[in-house]
Amino acid sequence: MRETSWCPSPSRSSLSYCMAMTAALALLLAATVQAQPANEALYLYRGAEREQRLLDNARREGVVVLYTSLAPSESGPLTQAFEKKHGIKVDLWRSNSEKVSQRTITEARAGRHQVDAVETIGTDLEKMARERIFAEFYSPHIADLLPAAIPAHRGWMPDRLSYLGVAYNTKVVRREDLPKTYEGFLDAKWKGRIGLEAGDIVWLAGIVRQWGEERGMKFFNGLAQMRPDVRSGHTLLTQLVISGEVPVGLTVYSSSVEPGKRSGAPIDWVAVQPVIAQPLGIGLAKRAPHPHAALLFADFVLSPEGQGLFSSLGRPPASRKVATALGQFDSVMMDPAVELDESAKWERVWKALFINR
């Protein structure tokens, strides 16, 4: 195969042309190589003037593009508070966590670098981290976060937590009648009164990991014999508990119960052991088009102000610096990386027990 060259045959003019083209190509390659770590250097900067530099440059950028799975009732107050504080617009796109990760990964693979920050559940953040979409960042508020919720690679940071526990209808079930551990729900009196969310495989994996396979699988085999009402969606399961159609939901997020409870609905939540905890968090794109605004937004979310806002909305914050009653119990913190690696195994077990029965 004959090779072609952009340099013509040697002559004085062609030599000058070749030298110019070589220099231009070298500059282009250098720019390409340097573009990638530019944001990473910014993200890790710790100088004394960091905060002012961030603010000044973020205001020049004018906007931060955020993809999130936060509900509008939560993302709205959060982004409005940031905009009011810093005068920087948040361009928000919201969907469920799976679609958030799908869009982010698809765009990154296609070389469309549109997003600055992604806020969603840890397992989907982990999927994106494995695609090398995120870059590690420094924030003075990271020191306040729960160490158990921080991933080993530090490619994203936890900003809130989800706790899976028991929701019950307060008109149908008395709190004192609820068992202290999940094994108590194997009592025949609970048959026909309990429900599960159809996709809560992490609950199965977490309990088996905590109790050991023998005890854990004995419980789940017994629970399958109770034939719980399996429904798709935590919101639906929560609504069914409120209506009394499903008096007790065994796998309900504490944050799902808070809005109804605060509005006077007959629902409450209790930390039946073991409580399975999952981190949710924020990651910053390596190729973010507005990196200063992205980092400033992450600072805000992880700050006592942002974390306090999460708490006020019924979302357990990841910061130890924010006093909250939303997580004052023992829990088992799941590792999103392990969840991903073992998901196929536990999905087969879950489906055999509760779906394909």
Side-chain angles (χ1 to χ4, degrees):
M1 183 175 69
R2 189 178 67 177
E3 293 184 357
T4 59
S5 171
W6 44 263
C7 276
S9 56
S11 70
R12 180 174 295 181
S13 60
S14 65
L15 182 60
S16 298
Y17 173 81
C18 287
M19 290 175 66
M21 288 296 291
T22 301
L25 182 60
L27 287 172
L28 178 62
L29 289 173
T32 302
V33 170
Q34 291 175 10
Q36 182 71 10
N39 286 351
E40 297 175 62
L42 162 66
Y43 289 163
L44 294 173
Y45 184 70
R46 301 188 182 209
E49 74 284 13
R50 174 185 180 275
E51 186 174 352
Q52 192 59 50
R53 280 179 58 179
L54 266 187
L55 183 57
D56 291 344
N57 285 293
R59 284 177 173 164
R60 291 189 189 99
E61 291 168 351
V63 66
V64 56
V65 178
L66 172 68
Y67 295 172
T68 184
S69 58
L70 266 171
S73 59
E74 297 154 342
S75 60
L78 183 70
T79 56
Q80 289 162 17
F82 174 77
E83 290 174 342
K84 182 177 180 180
K85 182 180 180 71
H86 293 302
I88 297 163
K89 176 179 170 55
V90 179
D91 186 353
L92 183 146
W93 179 79
R94 185 205 170 272
S95 190
N96 62 47
S97 59
E98 184 177 1
K99 289 182 179 177
V100 167
S101 63
Q102 285 176 347
R103 176 174 178 173
T104 306
I105 291 170
T106 298
E107 289 179 351
R109 288 177 176 175
R112 299 197 308 272
H113 305 294
Q114 302 179 66
V115 68
D116 295 308
V118 181
E119 201 282 348
T120 191
I121 194 166
T123 45
D124 281 285
L125 288 169
E126 192 62 31
K127 291 176 187 176
M128 292 177 269
R130 293 181 180 189
E131 294 280 334
R132 302 184 184 279
I133 290 171
F134 300 137
E136 181 181 350
F137 66 91
Y138 164 76
S139 169
H141 308 298
I142 289 175
D144 302 326
L145 303 178
L146 285 168
I150 297 176
H153 53 67
R154 301 177 71 86
W156 53 271
M157 285 293 151
D159 62 2
R160 53 192 171 107
L161 304 171
S162 282
Y163 295 109
L164 278 172
V166 172
Y168 65 99
N169 185 295
T170 55
K171 290 184 177 179
V172 180
V173 178
R174 297 187 307 170
R175 189 182 187 94
E176 56 266 30
D177 291 339
L178 293 169
K180 301 299 182 186
T181 73
Y182 277 106
E183 288 164 314
F185 286 106
L186 299 183
D187 190 301
K189 70 180 181 181
W190 295 107
K191 192 164 188 177
R193 305 177 71 195
I194 54 179
L196 300 175
E197 200 284 321
D200 276 332
I201 299 165
V202 64
W203 182 63
L204 164 68
I207 288 181
V208 172
R209 190 171 297 124
Q210 178 70 6
W211 281 351
E213 189 158 347
E214 182 178 353
R215 179 185 174 187
M217 289 312 302
K218 180 180 179 181
F219 163 69
F220 280 106
N221 282 311
L223 185 62
Q225 295 301 313
M226 298 287 288
R227 302 192 69 81
D229 193 345
V230 180
R231 300 298 186 108
S232 294
H234 290 99
T235 300
L236 174 60
L237 182 57
T238 303
Q239 291 170 344
L240 292 173
V241 172
I242 291 173
S243 71
E245 184 175 339
V246 178
V248 178
L250 299 187
T251 58
V252 178
Y253 290 121
S254 61
S255 56
S256 298
V257 170
E258 280 298 311
K261 181 180 175 181
R262 293 180 183 187
S263 66
I267 190 170
D268 205 349
W269 187 91
V270 63
V272 172
Q273 292 297 321
V275 176
I276 303 303
Q278 292 176 281
L280 299 92
I282 185 167
L284 302 187
K286 279 184 182 179
R287 304 294 294 273
H290 313 101
H292 296 87
L295 186 52
L296 191 67
F297 182 75
D299 270 1
F300 176 77
V301 169
L302 300 179
S303 71
E305 183 178 356
Q307 293 288 286
L309 186 54
F310 273 138
S311 181
S312 71
L313 295 169
R315 288 282 187 176
S319 175
R320 296 170 294 177
K321 204 167 187 177
V322 176
T324 177
L326 298 174
Q328 302 303 311
F329 42 77
D330 293 334
S331 62
V332 179
M333 185 67 68
M334 299 299 288
D335 182 339
V338 175
E339 283 186 62
L340 273 186
D341 293 339
E342 298 184 354
S343 60
K345 166 190 171 182
W346 293 116
E347 183 176 5
R348 287 193 298 270
V349 175
W350 178 266
K351 286 184 175 180
L353 287 168
F354 302 113
I355 308 300
N356 304 326
R357 57 185 185 181

